[in-house]
Amino acid sequence: MKAVIPVAGKGTRLRPHTHHTPKPVVKVAGKPVLSYLLDELIEVGVDEIVFIVGHLRDTMEAWIREEYPSLKAHYVLQEVQDGTAGAVALAEPYIDEELFIIFADAVFEVDYGLIRTLGAESDALLWAKEVEDYQRYGVIVTNDDGSMKKIVEKPTEPVSKLANIGLYYIKNHELLFEGIRKTVTSPPGPSGEFYLTDAFQYMVDNGGRLLTAPVAGWWDCGKPETLIETNHHLLEVGRRGIDPLATVDGVELIEPVRVEAGAKVRGGTIGPNVTIEEGAELDGCTVRDTIIGAHASVRGCSLNDSLVGAHADIADVSGSMRVTDHSFVAGAPSS
Ligand code: G1P
């Protein structure tokens, strides 16, 4: 089975980390965001993926080749960031059957097996979630039977609170691409972009039946604060623990905490909600709601709500910070 995954975005809300790390490869609870998705897709039978690449494309492609060598991957360059319909339009030459389309900036808890229960009369399945801040999303208005009637991108009125989460299964690929071609040749939306949601509206307006399905979990990873919240959730549901090859000595641990192989933690208080990646060293630190990257060295710090990049070297600072890979930060040691 095939999937289209756009990964071209600059990840501006996750800067500075995304200046050199593609957003889908940023780690949460010790695993890259995209890996949570790819591992599940492969399990349900996806073996060919069209990645729409752009920002840091070489890094992105090298990572996929190394981590998923047996995946049949195609890379299509999106030169102009002209929206979600513009991105998916580029995949058309590779698609001749049903497909998933997934925007990879979240960890999903989804029953992908639902696609096998779709009747012959249905053309697509859109996963969705009830939200309060409907203005930030594309929201779906449904008919009495639960199928989509209308989708409204970033509504100002509460026409619906059922948000489209960027995860779709399309059975009728012909009708989808017909809708996408129509969308990208019509005037763009208010932000100058072509929305995939307009192609879904085209499908419905032209006789397509699009069903919605609730999602159990939708954990955003696109901003530092949501990445840290998602880290907390994933630790809670199973990714916590001290690796047997980690050294934790004289530390007050407040769960949930994850300490990976080769990490050395001495003294201080760690947690709640802290991931310490492989080989990182912490000495005399108080840390909560923070992700410490692989092989970072952190001494005498008091950190909260922070992201510390791999190989960063920081000492004697306190507060909330975004420290990118290989950074050096030295505060004044307390006497
Ligand atoms: C996009 C989609 C929107 C959807 C949202 C989910 O918006 O256009 O329909 O609800 O993703 O995250 P964006 O977040 O790119 O503004």
Side-chain angles (χ1 to χ4, degrees):
M1 234 185 118
K2 297 184 180 179
V4 176
I5 305 185
V7 290
K10 293 196 177 82
T12 49
R13 292 173 304 167
L14 208 49
R15 284 176 178 168
H17 306 279
T18 44
H19 280 308
H20 50 67
T21 305
K23 186 170 66 170
V25 176
V26 168
K27 283 185 179 171
V28 60
K31 180 166 166 173
V33 173
L34 183 59
S35 289
Y36 289 95
L37 174 64
L38 294 184
D39 293 351
E40 289 218 40
L41 287 181
I42 290 167
E43 213 161 281
V44 293
V46 171
D47 56 358
E48 185 169 347
I49 301 186
V50 184
F51 292 97
I52 312 300
V53 294
H55 179 61
L56 301 175
R57 72 172 293 190
D58 293 343
T59 313
M60 193 68 235
E61 293 181 26
W63 181 87
I64 293 163
R65 267 196 295 273
E66 194 176 321
E67 297 292 321
Y68 294 91
S70 54
L71 188 69
K72 189 165 179 205
H74 307 279
Y75 303 98
V76 187
L77 178 63
Q78 186 182 22
E79 300 199 37
V80 187
Q81 301 260 316
D82 57 357
T84 48
V88 178
L90 299 169
E92 186 170 5
Y94 300 93
I95 304 296
D96 50 6
E97 57 175 45
E98 56 173 348
L99 70 149
F100 282 103
I101 303 174
I102 306 170
F103 290 83
D105 46 12
V107 173
F108 301 104
E109 288 161 347
V110 162
D111 177 9
Y112 293 95
L114 268 184
I115 65 169
R116 298 293 163 225
T117 64
L118 271 197
E121 71 293 351
S122 298
D123 297 293
L125 187 59
L126 279 48
W127 277 274
K129 189 166 179 65
E130 290 280 347
V131 294
E132 285 310 313
D133 48 348
Y134 58 86
Q135 303 93 333
R136 288 180 43 203
Y137 301 102
V139 297
I140 302 168
V141 181
T142 54
N143 294 308
D144 293 343
D145 67 353
S147 62
M148 174 182 139
K149 179 180 187 181
K150 221 163 62 159
I151 187 160
V152 187
E153 196 60 52
K154 317 283 179 329
T156 46
E157 302 292 319
V159 287
S160 162
K161 290 188 172 176
L162 191 59
N164 150 40
I165 65 163
L167 171 55
Y168 321 102
Y169 164 72
I170 312 290
K171 202 160 69 175
N172 188 342
H173 70 282
E174 282 152 345
L175 189 57
L176 169 80
F177 282 104
E178 203 176 293
I180 290 179
R181 281 194 300 275
K182 177 77 175 35
T183 302
V184 299
T185 50
S186 302
S191 61
E193 295 185 10
F194 301 107
Y195 299 121
L196 191 59
T197 41
D198 288 341
F200 295 143
Q201 187 67 54
Y202 175 95
M203 290 176 79
V204 169
D205 294 345
N206 288 274
R209 183 173 147 85
L210 279 54
L211 297 185
T212 62
V215 67
W218 174 30
W219 295 90
D220 186 65
C221 297
K223 297 187 278 189
E225 53 280 22
T226 58
L227 192 73
I228 290 166
E229 265 172 50
T230 300
N231 187 69
H232 198 171
H233 171 71
L234 293 170
L235 296 187
E236 288 283 10
V237 298
R239 293 189 60 81
R240 73 169 86 178
I242 313 293
D243 190 283
L245 299 177
T247 312
V248 176
D249 192 9
V251 179
E252 185 193 353
L253 288 175
I254 307 173
E255 292 289 355
V257 169
R258 175 186 176 86
V259 184
E260 298 185 355
K264 293 194 176 83
V265 190
R266 276 178 300 268
T269 304
I270 305 296
N273 184 20
V274 173
T275 290
I276 299 174
E277 293 178 14
E278 57 170 331
E281 299 199 9
L282 276 75
D283 201 344
C285 296
T286 301
V287 184
R288 66 171 169 84
D289 299 302
T290 289
I291 298 174
I292 307 279
H295 306 285
S297 169
V298 186
R299 299 167 314 277
C301 292
S302 175
L303 302 181
N304 61 279
D305 303 280
S306 296
L307 300 175
V308 174
H311 299 276
D313 180 348
I314 66 176
D316 305 311
V317 287
S318 63
S320 167
M321 50 202 78
R322 322 266 183 253
V323 179
T324 191
D325 296 3
H326 299 278
S327 299
F328 172 76
V329 183
S334 51
S335 49

